[in-house]
Amino acid sequence: KGTLEKTLRGGYTISSFKWIPGGNSYSYLTKKNGNSTLWIVDAKAGTSNAILKAFEGLKAYRWAPDASFVIFSAQETAKPGDDLKRHLALMDRIPGWRNKQYLYRLNVPQGTVSKLTSGNLSTHLSSISPDTKKLIFQRRIEELNNRPYIQNQLFLLDLDNMSLDSLWYGYWLSDVEWSPDGKKLLMTGGPSLFGDIGKNVPDQLMPNEYDTQAYVYDLASGSVNVISKSFKPSIISAKWSEFDGNIYVLTVDKSYQHLYQYDSERNAFNYLDT
């Protein structure tokens, strides 16, 4: 039978609970008047500390693997215009399209903040490298020549010298994360993410791009292996475990959501009875 460990009080909206890597502490966000504060709590001592106070537009955050910094995104809201509006693109018909999200780095425990991205397009964090030296972020740009008319662009940012490399661009991308050894990427997306290698339908049929597949992308060679081509359920999310080297996927399996383990040595999915 569970027991109550701690009660959080204060009347704030609490969200984004995360365990901090390498210790017995956790973090969460509180929000007040549109501004967010990031808290660290020592689970053993019960002490709490605000390491980022009342930051406007803060949306999401992620800890570096060694907990030495946090990458967070914040939204800059576009100023309302006049009664007449000139549409800059087809997507400009969508409310909030002109709002932009950018990435920031928060050093811990110093509390210093530096802005990492800017420009006309929003940027979204995909993954932080296991050695904490690099990160991958994504941009989405309107591209009317090809379905689905939105192109995904991946960039590799070196956090030591702030150099930027274009890593990949294409369509139907869902998510990206590094392998535990930092040599490969686990990418999820539609069957057409890498051309035809993820398709498992006759040539005359168009695949369902919401039947999300999992791919392993080798950073050195650029080779791609689709690990779920003959796997029937659609993948919601996938995580590459640093503890056992296997990949764990949450799926849409007929009317249910199920959890599977992908054994990378046997190239097989194992159903986990939860």
Side-chain angles (χ1 to χ4, degrees):
K1 184 178 180 180
T3 59
L4 180 64
E5 294 291 336
K6 185 176 179 62
T7 300
L8 300 175
R9 292 186 171 90
Y12 301 116
T13 300
I14 294 173
S15 63
S16 301
F17 178 97
K18 298 181 187 294
W19 288 106
I20 300 175
N24 194 27
S25 299
Y26 59 87
S27 61
Y28 61 87
L29 294 175
T30 59
K31 189 173 183 179
K32 187 177 182 180
N33 298 327
N35 299 326
S36 296
T37 298
L38 178 59
W39 296 85
I40 290 180
V41 179
D42 187 312
K44 186 175 182 180
T47 56
S48 59
N49 179 38
I51 60 171
L52 182 66
K53 296 181 179 179
F55 199 95
E56 184 178 0
L58 196 156
K59 290 293 184 181
Y61 70 95
R62 187 178 305 181
W63 284 94
D66 63 357
S68 62
F69 61 87
V70 170
I71 301 295
F72 67 91
S73 62
Q75 177 173 287
E76 295 184 7
T77 303
K79 296 180 180 180
D82 300 326
D83 292 337
L84 295 178
K85 177 180 179 181
R86 177 190 175 191
H87 289 279
L88 303 177
L90 287 177
M91 298 292 288
D92 199 12
R93 298 172 299 172
I94 301 174
W97 181 82
R98 296 191 185 187
N99 299 337
K100 306 302 178 186
Q101 290 189 33
Y102 302 119
L103 299 179
Y104 295 77
R105 172 173 173 162
L106 168 67
N107 293 312
V108 180
Q110 299 91 334
T112 54
V113 175
S114 56
K115 190 176 184 179
L116 300 179
T117 61
S118 62
N120 294 328
L121 295 174
S122 292
T123 50
H124 305 277
L125 177 64
S126 292
S127 188
I128 304 172
S129 64
D131 62 5
T132 73
K133 294 182 178 180
K134 299 178 180 179
L135 61 82
I136 293 174
F137 68 84
Q138 180 181 164
R139 297 193 315 183
R140 301 173 76 236
I141 186 170
E142 190 174 61
E143 217 282 48
L144 300 181
N145 293 325
N146 295 285
R147 190 176 65 94
Y149 316 113
I150 294 292
Q151 185 185 87
N152 305 102
Q153 301 176 333
L154 289 181
F155 294 90
L156 186 66
L157 177 64
D158 190 311
L159 293 174
D160 288 336
N161 57 28
M162 293 301 292
S163 62
L164 186 67
D165 288 327
S166 177
L167 181 62
W168 176 90
Y169 66 90
Y171 307 91
W172 307 111
L173 178 67
S174 296
D175 203 3
V176 183
E177 74 166 48
W178 251 289
S179 63
D181 62 7
K183 297 180 180 180
K184 299 177 181 179
L185 299 178
L186 173 62
M187 301 176 65
T188 54
S192 303
L193 185 65
F194 288 97
D196 293 336
I197 66 170
K199 296 181 181 179
N200 194 15
V201 295
D203 292 339
Q204 67 271 22
L205 294 182
M206 181 182 294
N208 178 3
E209 300 296 349
Y210 295 98
D211 179 23
T212 304
Q213 306 295 316
Y215 305 81
V216 175
Y217 178 86
D218 189 284
L219 285 167
S221 66
S223 62
V224 180
N225 177 31
V226 52
I227 64 174
S228 59
K229 187 172 184 178
S230 59
F231 182 58
K232 289 186 177 181
S234 177
I235 294 172
I236 299 174
S237 61
K239 296 295 179 183
W240 204 327
S241 172
E242 62 180 292
F243 301 103
D244 61 9
N246 294 316
I247 294 171
Y248 291 84
V249 297
L250 180 65
T251 68
V252 175
D253 200 352
K254 296 181 180 178
S255 298
Y256 299 91
Q257 291 188 8
H258 286 151
L259 190 64
Y260 289 83
Q261 177 203 64
Y262 176 74
D263 189 323
S264 54
E265 293 185 358
R266 298 192 302 111
N267 296 321
F269 282 92
N270 303 313
Y271 171 72
L272 300 179
D273 187 3
T274 57

